[in-house]
Amino acid sequence: MPTLDRHDDVFVLDIGDGENRFHPDWIASVDTALDEVEKATGPRALVTAATGKYFSNGLDLDWLLANADRQQEYAVSVHELLARMLALPVVTVAALQGHTFAAGAMFSLAHDFRVMRADRGYWCLPEADIDIPFTPAMSALIQARLSPQTAHEAMTTARRYGGRDACAAAIVDRAVAEEEVRGTGVEIARAQAGRAGTTLGTIKARMYAPVLNALRDRERPLG
């Protein structure tokens, strides 16, 4: 399960060492960690990282199949997590040491910055290949955070981007060696820690207002 540590002005949220799928308990644990980050005072920033082969493989499809009657409730919880990260009043950095797929890729886009391993691992939106359409809110998030050309290619072709290609397409901001991923994320976060607070939160909320409205739609989250 996710764990949160603080190193001076930088919180590091380690989301796990498995596939880090969005099980309801996992989502609740991440939310609890974000509560702590938000309640803290003074300069602070957040790095979200993982260990092992995956950063996140996205939705917990096994849980979803076993709980088909809770599909809408589940979509709302996933959307709320994406919205919360997108509007968090601290600078956030996703440190992508491994495969980052589907909702995991969207979760990375909800961060302000992304650092990815250069030599191995893929960032991918596979929905076109697995016959699961993006929700309207997910589409809005992706299109708000990527260029039109990159969003179109990523969403319609399910392309797997390695670190260097993801950096060239501006999906991620830095592509570095495996051992530098987390440290680079912390470096970026520490440089921005002084900007935490209400003003930053307001800037994000206004910048992404249409996306946040879509992500917070509890009535028709699936479209």
Side-chain angles (χ1 to χ4, degrees):
M1 294 298 288
T3 59
L4 183 70
D5 294 304
R6 185 168 188 173
H7 307 276
D8 299 320
D9 293 341
V10 179
F11 285 94
V12 177
L13 172 61
D14 191 314
I15 58 174
D17 60 1
E19 291 193 15
N20 305 325
R21 289 184 179 269
F22 287 35
H23 186 279
D25 293 342
W26 183 93
I27 293 173
S29 182
V30 173
D31 266 328
T32 297
L34 296 184
D35 286 341
E36 185 173 339
V37 174
E38 284 204 70
K39 289 175 183 176
T41 59
R44 61 201 187 282
L46 173 68
V47 174
T48 304
T51 51
K53 184 177 179 180
Y54 299 92
F55 175 77
S56 173
N57 230 357
L59 302 184
D60 191 329
L61 299 179
D62 289 339
W63 184 91
L64 195 53
L65 287 171
N67 296 272
D69 59 323
R70 299 175 64 184
Q71 185 177 26
Q72 180 158 318
E73 172 193 341
Y74 181 70
V76 166
S77 69
V78 171
H79 287 174
E80 286 182 344
L81 178 61
L82 296 176
R84 187 170 191 191
M85 186 61 76
L86 185 64
L88 205 69
V90 305
V91 168
T92 58
V93 185
L96 313 178
Q97 91 301 337
H99 296 311
T100 305
F101 275 58
M106 298 174 217
F107 185 56
S108 77
L109 291 179
H111 290 69
D112 297 308
F113 301 98
R114 283 155 300 286
V115 179
M116 186 173 176
R117 180 176 172 178
D119 61 329
R120 295 188 67 182
Y122 292 106
W123 188 100
C124 177
L125 298 171
E127 280 75 4
D129 281 348
I130 60 177
D131 293 326
I132 299 177
F134 300 98
T135 66
M138 290 174 173
S139 295
L141 171 64
I142 297 163
Q143 290 174 273
R145 297 296 282 133
L146 299 178
S147 71
Q149 294 87 348
T150 299
H152 182 88
E153 179 180 58
M155 295 172 76
T156 63
T157 72
R159 175 178 172 181
R160 296 186 176 199
Y161 296 84
R164 293 184 181 87
D165 287 342
C167 193
I171 295 170
V172 302
D173 302 279
R174 302 274 294 276
V176 300
E178 177 186 11
E179 65 273 13
E180 298 174 7
V181 173
R182 189 176 296 212
T184 301
V186 169
E187 175 187 318
I188 293 170
R190 183 176 291 119
Q192 303 295 328
R195 294 183 170 85
T198 303
T199 296
L200 180 62
T202 300
I203 288 170
K204 290 185 182 183
R206 291 175 178 173
M207 181 181 295
Y208 294 111
V211 180
L212 292 169
N213 287 338
L215 287 169
R216 290 168 176 159
D217 180 1
R218 289 173 164 266
E219 299 301 317
R220 297 186 60 198
L222 302 175

